[in-house]
Amino acid sequence: MSKYQATIHFELSEAFMRNVPAHRNYINRLINNGVIDQYAVSIESGKAWITLSAESREEAEAYLEKSPLHQFWQLEVEELFVLDSHAYRFPKLVMN
């Protein structure tokens, strides 16, 4: 299983906003199923970033194409060579 970074460009519209609740349900399902690791959106720049696990770039794109917002996106998906963060580290031991 590889990690992929999706960069999404979008423009807000009424139609876009009507689809946000269904999109959030879909994204939450992917997070709960361990497909999506991170999900971030900037309304200011009209961009979103999603880090996800998939067997291939095509599979990663297929997950994202099922979003109700896909029709509003310009999508770029890249395979990651390194992904490191606090979330991937062992928890700190606290000795009582």
Side-chain angles (χ1 to χ4, degrees), residues 35-50:
V35 173
I36 290 180
D37 295 327
Q38 299 171 344
Y39 175 76
V41 178
S42 170
I43 294 297
E44 180 180 6
S45 65
K47 290 183 186 176
W49 301 269
I50 301 174

Side-chain angles (χ1 to χ4, degrees), residues 25-43:
N25 287 335
Y26 181 66
I27 293 298
N28 286 337
R29 193 168 54 241
L30 292 179
I31 290 170
N32 291 337
N33 290 338
V35 173
I36 290 180
D37 295 327
Q38 299 171 344
Y39 175 76
V41 178
S42 170
I43 294 297

